[in-house]
Amino acid sequence: AQSVSQHNHHVILSEAASLELGCNYSYGGTVNLFWYVQYPGQHLQLLLKYFSGDPLVKGIKGFEAEFIKSKFSFNLRKPSVQWSDTAEYFCAVNAANSGYSTLTFGKGTMLLVSP
Amino acid sequence: GAVVSQHPSWVICKSGTSVKIECRSLDFQATTMFWYRQFPKQSLMLMATSNEGSKATYEQGVEKDKFLINHASLTLSTLTVTSAHPEDSSFYICSARDIGLISSYNSPLHFGNGTRLTVT
């Protein structure tokens, strides 16, 4: 079975600081990887996804993530955070090429950006 | 820790039948639960927000009469796929947030393990 580990449950940053949220997964086969965000009072939104190809994936709002297969990692980054990035971030994984495979989420990381 | 239990985890049904999926918060209360659907090689799509004691709020394009949502208590929401067809085959997942904690900032969002529906 697959699993996802997000290293930090809470992260507090000042505006303009750089962000990196860790995500590691365990699964023996090929995977699809996702980062979702949920802003306060809103629904889950897709930030970016990796299916294949370039392991550096660019998403919305200046976010990017890099898939490092050897490390089973898919860390989320942003060079300069804004107050509006305050939200909860979830990493998720499912098995690639297997139809409707289980989507497994990490526990989430709550990011608070102070102005 | 808090757990969201989703049942069944995998169901196969015949075309034309209805399937009920349950989402339970096991040790916390949730006034709001969310139902998502994932198509193969695509990301999660929010279907509806389930509100305890009131009607669910459906996202645009989601058929209310086909995907019936009932949130009868603070710990249970159900999604019923009525008159299922093969195109309804998908992965359905629910999530809920613990209302008992001080602020939404501190209360994590918990996901069920999902239900894989196959309609033949």
Side-chain angles (χ1 to χ4, degrees):
Chain A
Q2 61 222 31
S3 65
V4 178
S5 174
Q6 288 183 241
H7 309 310
N8 306 98
H9 185 55
H10 289 94
V11 172
I12 301 174
L13 294 173
S14 299
E15 273 195 313
S18 64
L19 170 72
E20 180 160 4
L21 300 182
C23 172
N24 285 90
Y25 69 92
S26 68
Y27 181 70
T30 306
V31 294
N32 300 320
L33 295 155
F34 308 84
W35 273 100
Y36 287 91
V37 61
Q38 184 159 19
Y39 297 101
Q42 297 186 31
H43 310 301
L44 214 59
Q45 299 176 37
L46 179 68
L47 266 183
L48 47 81
K49 61 187 178 185
Y50 171 81
F51 286 163
S52 64
D54 188 344
L56 184 61
V57 180
K58 302 236 182 254
I60 60 172
K61 305 185 180 184
F63 286 91
E64 66 176 31
E66 185 175 12
F67 171 46
I68 303 178
K69 190 175 180 180
S70 61
K71 295 184 178 181
F72 296 89
S73 69
F74 190 56
N75 292 354
L76 180 70
R77 300 193 293 251
K78 186 171 183 178
S80 176
V81 296
Q82 301 172 317
W83 176 80
S84 57
D85 293 324
T86 294
E88 194 166 17
Y89 294 81
F90 294 90
C91 181
V93 61
N94 71 353
N97 305 318
S98 60
Y100 308 99
S101 67
T102 301
L103 184 65
T104 302
F105 283 85
K107 294 293 184 184
T109 298
M110 189 71 76
L111 171 65
L112 178 62
V113 180
S114 57
Chain B
V3 173
V4 171
S5 173
Q6 193 170 336
H7 178 79
S9 58
W10 198 350
V11 58
I12 301 174
C13 71
K14 292 185 177 180
S15 185
T17 60
S18 295
V19 174
K20 180 185 283 188
I21 304 170
E22 291 187 349
C23 182
R24 292 182 185 273
S25 56
L26 294 187
D27 57 0
F28 68 96
Q29 295 183 326
T31 55
T32 302
M33 292 185 179
F34 305 95
W35 287 97
Y36 305 88
R37 178 176 178 177
Q38 184 182 28
F39 296 91
K41 294 194 74 71
Q42 296 187 36
S43 61
L44 220 54
M45 179 193 78
L46 177 66
M47 297 175 66
T49 302
S50 171
N51 305 300
E52 187 268 335
S54 65
K55 292 183 180 179
T57 305
Y58 289 83
E59 296 300 302
Q60 192 173 8
V62 177
E63 298 176 60
K64 301 178 183 181
D65 295 332
K66 180 162 189 64
F67 299 100
L68 299 179
I69 291 175
N70 183 275
H71 196 146
S73 75
L74 285 171
T75 58
L76 174 64
S77 174
T78 61
L79 168 67
T80 302
V81 183
T82 62
S83 187
H85 288 96
E87 57 265 30
D88 298 324
S89 298
S90 191
F91 182 76
Y92 296 86
I93 192 167
C94 69
S95 70
R97 193 182 293 276
D98 187 347
I99 65 168
L101 297 180
I102 296 173
S103 70
S104 61
Y105 174 73
N106 289 315
S107 59
L109 185 65
H110 303 285
F111 289 89
N113 286 330
T115 298
R116 193 186 317 177
L117 171 64
T118 302
V119 184
T120 60

